[in-house]
Amino acid sequence: MPEEAKETKDENVIHEMQISELDPRFVKQLENAERSIDQNPSYVIDICCTILAKYPSCVEVRKILREAQFKKFGKGNPVAKIGAQLKGAVFSVKAASMIKKGQALEVLSEAEKILSECPENPLVLTTLAKAADVLGFFGTAAGAYQAIAKFQPNNLKNLLTLGNALVKSGHPEEAMQVCELILKKHPTNGDAQALARSASVIKTMKKDDWEDTSKSATEKGDTKKHLEREKETSLVNDEETLSRMVERLDAQIATDPENINLYREICGNLRTLRRYDDALKYVRLARQQPLGKGDTTFEKMEQDFMVASMDQQIAELEKLVEANPDDKESAAKLADLKKKEHSFKLENARTMVERYPNDFNYRFILGQLLFEDGKLDEAIMQFQISQRNPKVRLQSLLGLGRAFMKGKKYDLAVDQLETAKHESKIMNDSKKEIIYELATAYELMGQNEKAFSEFKEIYSSDISYKDVAAKINAYYASR
């Protein structure tokens, strides 16, 4: 897999690489190529495409590539431009299908080939941006819209899309500059006004975060205000403080309903308070706002809160049933709710995999749910794909091992579990689970010596893990 899959703390966003993160050999090639960008842009294009084939998320290399493409094209040939636009129209139709099939990376590569012939191709650049957005390459998407603005500076729709992309990629100042350009010509444009407000809020928040980490309360000159902020953002907030914050944020939303960050904050507080149904109300309101409609984090948040709400109800019913085993009504409600929750998770996972085929975390979740339903071949297919994500690789290999075991393909199970064991460096609960399943696979194959060797590895580290002690004692007793 190309080496773009370095992830941020948000597991749904893939980290876009910088030039400094590339293999030093590529950095050297790029430096040499850049020196000749004016005289030989074709050479720079070749070098950039070679690097992007290995590191497709490197947004800085793509910027250099775009510059070289425009230099090569120059004032352009009208005939060549028409030919490229026709090719772009055909490509955009084909690309839509490719993206749905999880081939967004291939779309990026093909798009660049067409743009290297003629970069003044809005249809191809827009298609490239859509593919980048699916992959989480938000800086790359913004760069594509910036390229369109270079030769279509009065394209209002593109400028608004560019502004939103800049906000999404973490560049609120640049987004505000785009809004200023729009508002100079269209001072009453509501979308641009809303975007400018949101970008301004994000810029302020980023500035505040920097100040909070770089200055002491004394340097700020307002100790009382600093302490109040510290208290509000503390991880040890009590219920009363959080509830007051929710009330304050609710009042702010009433006066500034399009400020998307207020919704994020109030939902975070409601999550801590475990008020999931209330949080759902605000998430759904956020998704109705201009900047919330296309924000996938709110979409995921809504699903998470729905599951959390059901989990909360399930936990309450489980307590009731445990306290009153003869309460058939509660037991029936519990069984029905568990069934509904599983169906919701399965349907949602399928939808998200279809919508975001390169989000391997969703594929892992879908694999787990399919495994629970006994749909082994479908589960195996999802686990085989999801193992590409380092974050869920080990659990995906474990899922593959279990699926093969359930299908009585024990040798295949051993292959996956051995790989997972080898890649697990620390003897934590996750590694113990992998080794336990590996030992079980050997047992089912009748290879008791190998099974004992694996169980012994866990026993030496944690005698209390599952029934390992009993298995080890039984083995020695049998000898």
Side-chain angles (χ1 to χ4, degrees):
M1 180 186 180
E3 298 182 29
E4 85 284 350
K6 293 186 179 181
E7 298 189 23
T8 63
K9 289 181 181 178
D10 181 346
E11 59 189 36
N12 291 316
V13 178
I14 298 178
H15 163 69
E16 286 189 278
M17 298 177 72
Q18 304 299 311
I19 288 175
S20 58
E21 299 173 72
L22 301 179
D23 183 315
R25 291 171 295 180
F26 284 122
V27 176
K28 187 75 173 174
Q29 283 185 344
L30 194 62
E31 287 174 352
N32 292 334
E34 272 196 284
R35 295 190 190 102
S36 62
I37 194 167
D38 291 320
Q39 295 78 27
N40 193 356
S42 295
Y43 174 64
V44 180
I45 290 171
D46 290 341
I47 292 297
C48 288
C49 287
T50 300
I51 295 172
L52 288 169
K54 187 172 178 62
Y55 302 100
S57 75
C58 192
V59 64
E60 291 181 334
V61 171
R62 211 170 286 275
K63 284 179 183 176
I64 295 168
L65 170 61
R66 197 75 63 241
E67 184 185 352
Q69 288 167 342
F70 275 106
K71 282 190 178 293
K72 178 187 174 185
F73 187 67
K75 292 182 180 179
N77 181 323
V79 177
K81 191 182 291 188
I82 292 170
Q85 285 173 347
L86 289 171
K87 190 182 289 187
V90 174
F91 168 69
S92 66
V93 175
K94 173 188 170 186
S97 174
M98 290 173 70
I99 291 170
K100 283 183 181 178
K101 292 176 183 176
Q103 299 174 326
L105 283 173
E106 288 87 341
V107 170
L108 293 185
S109 179
E110 288 195 33
E112 294 297 7
K113 289 176 185 175
I114 299 173
L115 292 170
S116 292
E117 296 174 16
C118 172
E120 290 188 15
N121 199 323
L123 200 53
V124 174
L125 285 163
T126 301
T127 301
L128 184 148
K130 288 177 180 176
D133 199 60
V134 166
L135 291 163
F137 299 171
F138 302 127
T140 298
Y145 296 124
Q146 281 174 323
I148 295 173
K150 188 171 183 176
F151 57 89
Q152 291 186 353
N154 298 317
N155 184 332
L156 179 61
K157 183 180 177 182
N158 178 69
L159 288 174
L160 284 168
T161 308
L162 169 58
N164 279 292
L166 288 166
V167 168
K168 204 171 181 181
S169 63
H171 296 89
E173 288 187 23
E174 291 181 41
M176 288 169 68
Q177 290 170 9
V178 172
C179 291
E180 285 174 17
L181 285 174
I182 297 172
L183 292 170
K184 277 181 183 177
K185 295 182 179 179
H186 309 276
T188 60
N189 187 289
D191 290 335
Q193 290 172 349
L195 180 59
R197 286 198 297 272
S198 297
S200 177
V201 170
I202 294 170
K203 178 186 173 184
T204 302
M205 288 176 67
K206 287 179 75 174
K207 182 174 180 289
D208 286 347
D209 288 343
W210 182 85
E211 286 177 347
D212 282 346
T213 56
S214 65
K215 296 182 181 180
S216 67
T218 306
E219 287 173 319
K220 287 181 183 179
D222 190 348
T223 306
K224 184 178 178 181
K225 185 177 179 181
H226 174 67
L227 291 174
E228 284 176 358
R229 180 179 172 85
E230 218 171 39
K231 182 181 178 184
E232 284 189 344
T233 56
S234 169
L235 293 174
V236 293
N237 275 319
D238 57 35
E239 189 172 333
E240 185 181 349
T241 303
L242 284 171
S243 297
R244 283 201 304 270
M245 288 171 66
V246 166
E247 289 175 11
R248 173 173 59 79
L249 288 163
D250 180 64
Q252 287 181 269
I253 287 170
T255 59
D256 190 9
E258 292 185 2
N259 187 337
I260 217 73
N261 295 294
L262 295 175
Y263 295 98
R264 295 185 199 281
E265 195 173 344
I266 199 168
C267 287
N269 292 333
L270 289 167
R271 186 197 295 272
T272 305
L273 289 167
R274 297 173 62 82
R275 287 166 53 183
Y276 304 120
D277 291 334
D278 289 336
L280 268 171
K281 180 184 78 174
Y282 288 103
V283 167
R284 286 166 179 162
L285 280 172
R287 295 192 69 189
Q288 293 172 22
Q289 308 310 315
L291 284 177
K293 288 177 181 176
D295 194 324
T296 57
T297 59
F298 281 113
E299 181 180 23
K300 185 175 186 299
M301 208 183 285
E302 182 175 4
Q303 294 150 8
D304 289 346
F305 283 138
M306 288 176 74
V307 172
S309 178
M310 285 189 277
D311 283 340
Q312 196 172 51
Q313 294 173 59
I314 287 169
E316 289 169 3
L317 284 169
E318 282 176 338
K319 285 180 183 177
L320 274 176
V321 172
E322 189 178 350
N324 305 283
D326 297 327
D327 185 349
K328 292 182 180 178
E329 186 180 348
S330 294
K333 282 183 181 177
L334 176 61
D336 184 55
L337 189 56
K338 282 185 174 180
K339 187 177 178 182
K340 282 181 180 176
E341 183 187 42
H342 180 80
S343 296
F344 172 78
K345 284 181 176 178
L346 184 61
E347 183 181 350
N348 177 62
R350 285 190 187 280
T351 300
M352 298 308 280
V353 165
E354 185 177 338
R355 194 173 300 167
Y356 308 109
N358 290 295
D359 189 322
F360 302 126
N361 187 59
Y362 284 128
R363 288 190 177 274
F364 171 66
I365 292 168
L366 178 57
Q368 284 183 307
L369 294 165
L370 290 167
F371 176 76
E372 288 172 20
D373 284 348
K375 296 179 179 178
L376 301 183
D377 287 342
E378 289 183 59
I380 286 167
M381 183 179 74
Q382 298 303 328
F383 287 138
Q384 285 174 335
I385 298 172
S386 68
Q387 67 173 302
R388 299 174 192 171
N389 182 344
K391 277 193 134 181
V392 293
R393 176 168 169 76
L394 293 177
Q395 288 303 304
S396 297
L397 289 169
L398 178 60
L400 279 169
R402 285 174 170 160
F404 284 132
M405 282 170 66
K406 201 167 183 179
K408 298 184 178 179
K409 299 178 178 70
Y410 304 123
D411 56 335
L412 293 176
V414 165
D415 289 343
Q416 302 300 321
L417 295 166
E418 284 279 15
T419 301
K421 178 188 172 183
H422 176 73
E423 292 183 13
S424 302
K425 304 302 181 186
I426 303 168
M427 183 58 84
N428 52 19
D429 286 342
S430 176
K431 184 167 185 175
K432 291 172 198 171
E433 192 176 12
I434 290 165
I435 296 174
Y436 188 91
E437 294 295 337
L438 177 59
T440 303
Y442 279 130
E443 267 190 329
L444 292 167
M445 292 172 76
Q447 298 184 20
N448 294 329
E449 289 294 330
K450 287 186 177 180
F452 166 72
S453 177
E454 299 299 334
F455 283 130
K456 187 171 70 172
E457 199 168 333
I458 301 174
Y459 182 84
S460 301
S461 173
D462 183 0
I463 193 173
S464 65
Y465 188 80
K466 293 186 178 181
D467 59 348
V468 165
K471 287 183 177 290
I472 294 295
N473 292 335
Y475 178 85
Y476 279 112
S478 68
R479 294 175 68 186

